[in-house]
Amino acid sequence: MLDETLLDDPEALARADRRALLRGAAEAGARVRTAVRHAADAGVNDLKPDGRPRAVLIAGPGTASVGVAELLDTLAGASCPVTRIHPTGVAPAAGALRWELPGWAGPVDLLLIATPDGTEPGLSILVEQAYRRSCTVVAVAPAGSPVTDAVAAAHGLFVPMATAPFEQDEPLTASAPGVLWALLTPLLVLLDRTGLLSAPPDVLGKVADRLDRVAERCGPAIATYDNPAKNLAAELAESLPVIWTEGVSAAPAGRRFAAALAELAGRPALTAQLPEALASHSVLLSGALAAGADPDDFFRDRVEEAQALHARVVLLRDRPLGGLSAAPAARELALSHDTAISELEPEDGGELETLAELIAITDFAAVYVALASGA
C-alpha cells in the first residue's frame, strides 16, 4: 500500500527516510562537480592517450556497475565496444564475488573498475590479472579501500569516489541516487580524453546544473501536483509499472528506473523499448493486468480484500531516431486496453543533459515510492 498523504508531508518524509535517499538524490549535481575535481586531481586531464582502446571492459558489483556500463555503452555508440564483466560467485557479498577477464583481453584493451564498496577481493584479483595481460586499469572506488592498493601495484589510475559526509556512518545501497553519478563522472572525463565520447568540462557543468534543477522541482517541499517525481510515484500506487522507452538515451534510463524500484522500493517493473514494446507487451496489456480485465465487483468487500493489481505504462521519451515516433501508437495501445499511461520527456539539451534529467526524475520517483510504501 502506498500512503499518498505522506508525499505532501515533508516532515513525515524526513522521518521515513532512514537511508537518506532524498538527500542523496538532491546531491546528485554536487556529486558530479566533486567527481570532476577528483578526476582532475588524479591526473585524468593530463593523460595523453596513444589512441582509442580496442575495447572497454567494466567490472563492479550490483546496480551501480550495471548502470555505468549501460550508460557508457550508450554514449560511446559504435566508436568502441563496451562490455560489462558479469560477476560470478555464491552470494552478492563482497567476499563471494569473482570476475574473470575474457580470453581475448590484452594490451590494447581498457579495464574500468566501478565500485561503491572497494572491499571485494575478486576485484583485486581481476586487477592483478589485467596487469599480467598488460591491460590498462582505471578504478573509481572509495578512498582507502583495498582495491586502491591493487590498482597502485598494477600501475593503474585510481580516482576516489565522490562521497557525502553522512555516508561515512551508513553507506548507501548500490542503486541509491548519487552513487551512479559519483562512479560514472570520472569515467566520462577519462573516455572524453580517449575520444570515445564527448564529455568536456562545460558539458559536465551543464549536467550538474540540470540535476540541480530537477532537485529543485522534485524536492520534498514541492507539492505533488507541481512535482513530477511525486506525481509519478502517486500514479504508480497499486500498479505494475510497464516502462516503455523511446530514443537511444531513454533506454538505459528506463532500465535504471526498473532497477531502482526493485532495490529501493521492493516493487517489480517491466521495461521494453519502442516500437518492440508494442508487440512484446500487447498480450500483457490485454490479459489479467489490464484495468478492464477484472471489473469492480459491486459486492466486493473493499476493506478486507486487496485492490487488484493493474499495469500502468510509463513512457520515457528522448529524441527518437529520424524524428519518427511510436508514442502515438503506444498511447493508442494502452488506452485501447483501459491501461493508464504516464509520460516523461526532458527539456531540450545535449544527450548527457537529457539523460541526466530522465534518470534524476525517476530516481526521485523511486525514492518516493519507497518512502510512501514503508520500504
Side-chain angles (χ1 to χ4, degrees):
M1 296 291 293
L2 192 74
D3 183 4
E4 295 185 36
T5 62
L6 188 73
L7 295 177
D8 284 324
D9 188 340
E11 294 183 359
L13 283 171
R15 290 193 297 270
D17 191 13
R18 296 181 296 274
R19 291 176 287 175
L21 298 178
L22 283 173
R23 186 186 301 178
E27 291 179 346
R31 295 290 187 107
V32 171
R33 296 185 184 92
T34 303
V36 169
R37 291 197 300 271
H38 285 181
D41 293 342
V44 175
N45 295 336
D46 300 325
L47 294 177
K48 296 179 173 59
D50 295 330
R52 293 184 177 185
R54 177 182 61 176
V56 175
L57 303 168
I58 301 178
T63 305
S65 175
V66 173
V68 168
E70 288 192 342
L71 291 172
L72 292 181
D73 186 31
T74 298
L75 295 168
S79 62
C80 177
V82 177
T83 304
R84 179 175 182 248
I85 303 176
H86 295 273
T88 60
V90 297
L97 293 172
R98 296 291 182 269
W99 289 265
E100 187 76 23
L101 280 178
W104 49 262
V108 292
D109 301 312
L110 172 63
L111 173 64
L112 305 179
I113 305 292
T115 171
D117 188 339
T119 64
E120 304 89 351
L123 285 179
S124 297
I125 295 172
L126 178 68
V127 171
E128 294 171 3
Q129 185 182 26
Y131 177 65
R132 291 195 300 271
R133 298 226 205 143
S134 300
C135 291
T136 302
V137 180
V138 178
V140 182
S145 57
V147 75
T148 307
D149 297 331
V151 172
H155 304 290
L157 177 65
F158 175 77
V159 182
M161 175 181 155
T163 59
F166 69 92
E167 292 174 14
Q168 304 304 319
D169 300 325
E170 185 177 352
L172 294 178
T173 59
S175 62
V179 172
L180 174 69
W181 294 105
L183 295 175
L184 176 66
T185 303
L187 301 181
L188 290 175
V189 177
L190 172 73
L191 296 188
D192 177 75
R193 293 291 299 167
T194 64
L196 292 183
L197 51 81
S198 179
D202 62 320
V203 169
L204 293 177
K206 291 179 181 178
V207 168
D209 292 341
R210 182 73 66 102
L211 292 171
D212 286 345
R213 289 199 297 272
V214 172
E216 292 173 358
R217 294 168 53 204
C218 298
I222 307 300
T224 299
Y225 68 85
D226 203 29
N227 187 319
K230 285 185 179 180
N231 189 54
L232 178 57
E235 291 173 344
L236 294 180
E238 308 305 326
S239 68
L240 173 68
V242 179
I243 303 166
W244 291 349
T245 62
E246 182 173 59
V248 176
S249 296
R255 292 189 288 271
R256 158 81 180 178
F257 187 26
L261 284 171
E263 189 163 348
L264 299 182
R267 294 284 298 274
L270 302 175
T271 182
Q273 294 178 242
L274 291 175
E276 289 90 347
L278 301 178
S280 60
H281 286 169
S282 177
V283 175
L284 182 150
L285 295 185
S286 62
L289 291 174
D294 184 21
D296 198 18
D297 184 357
F298 180 80
F299 298 101
R300 179 174 64 86
D301 188 333
R302 289 163 175 76
V303 176
E304 297 296 333
E305 296 183 20
Q307 184 176 349
L309 182 68
H310 296 306
R312 184 181 187 97
V313 171
V314 179
L315 179 57
L316 303 183
R317 300 186 64 203
D318 197 5
R319 294 179 296 273
L321 292 175
L324 299 175
S325 176
R331 298 185 191 102
E332 182 179 353
L333 176 63
L335 297 178
S336 67
H337 293 298
D338 297 321
T339 300
I341 185 168
S342 304
E343 296 191 38
L344 282 180
E345 187 170 353
E347 299 176 1
D348 290 338
E351 184 178 21
L352 260 176
E353 291 177 75
T354 57
L355 179 58
E357 181 175 338
L358 287 175
I359 291 175
I361 294 176
T362 52
D363 272 355
F364 266 104
V367 170
Y368 286 126
V369 171
L371 299 182
S373 60

